[in-house]
């Protein structure tokens, strides 16, 4: 299988799935009687969002936004550009922004400001991963899966140069 030589496993598949179930259970409690709108950030958050959505027992809506900030390198430029906007209006919606990883925090900070201006009923952040060592700005995280070390993370949606997204586990590149 791809990746087994270059990638050191950090979080095995079963642990990810257990955590996703725990987060879904919290969302089920917190949003009881409501229809939250899950907004995934393409492309990394897709795997997490679809697993999460299947474990939420409320009628969720889903939408996606695409941003670019990284190119093919492993360093954040700090510049966030919307390459595909949402299809839905956020007005009056209970929005949960779903991210794969919060690194510097710049992407989430930018998106929160953008979304807030669209007048949602509520707005929360759900991120599978957080790299605390790299945070540059303060961002609220309402639902968090795991903290990860300051390494370049791949798998379960996360890529390096578009590779490794479809690994079922999360790991880090041995030479990065
Ligand atoms: P931030 O704006 O620095 O918080 O970066 C957020 C985005 O950068 C994430 O949504 C990822 O797409 C990407 N990213 C940050 N760190 C990593 C990593 O270790 N592996 C893969 N992608 C990453
Ligand atoms: Mg991303």
């Amino acid at each position: 299988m791809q990746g087994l030589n270059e990638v050191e496993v950090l979080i095995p598949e079963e642990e990810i799935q257990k955590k996703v179930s725990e987060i879904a259970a919290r969302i089920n409690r917190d949003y009881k009687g409501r229809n939250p709108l899950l907004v995934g950030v393409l492309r990394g958050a897709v795997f997490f969002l679809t697993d999460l959505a299947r474990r939420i027992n409320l009628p969720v809506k889903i939408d996606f936004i695409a941003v670019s900030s990284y190119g093919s390198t492993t360093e954040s430029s700090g510049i966030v550009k919307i390459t595909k906007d949402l299809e839905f209006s956020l007005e009056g919606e209970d929005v949960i922004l779903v991210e794969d990883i919060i690194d510097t925090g710049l992407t989430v900070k930018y998106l929160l400001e953008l979304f807030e201006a669209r007048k949602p009923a509520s707005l929360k952040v759900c991120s599978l991963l957080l790299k605390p060592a790299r945070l540059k700005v303060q961002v609220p995280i309402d639902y968090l899966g795991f903290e990860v070390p300051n390494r370049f993370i791949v798998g379960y949606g996360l890529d390096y140069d578009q590779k490794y997204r479809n690994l079922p586990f999360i790991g880090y590149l041995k030479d990065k």
Side-chain angles (χ1 to χ4, degrees), residues 41-45 67 99-101 107:
V41 184
L42 293 173
R43 286 175 286 265
V67 299
E99 255 290 31
D100 51 357
I101 186 166
T107 306

Side-chain angles (χ1 to χ4, degrees), residues 70 99-101 103-107 131 152-153 158-159:
Y70 266 58
E99 255 290 31
D100 51 357
I101 186 166
D103 184 29
T104 62
L106 292 167
T107 306
K131 228 187 261 179
F152 200 80
I153 308 295
L158 292 110
D159 73 304

Side-chain angles (χ1 to χ4, degrees), residues 58-74:
L58 308 164
V60 296
K61 294 175 247 186
I62 65 171
D63 201 353
F64 295 96
I65 192 164
V67 299
S68 73
S69 59
Y70 266 58
S72 295
T73 70
T74 57

Side-chain angles (χ1 to χ4, degrees), residues 41-60:
V41 184
L42 293 173
R43 286 175 286 265
V46 166
F47 294 70
F48 175 42
L49 184 144
T50 58
D51 278 348
L52 184 68
R54 272 175 283 202
R55 289 175 174 80
I56 294 175
N57 58 26
L58 308 164
V60 296

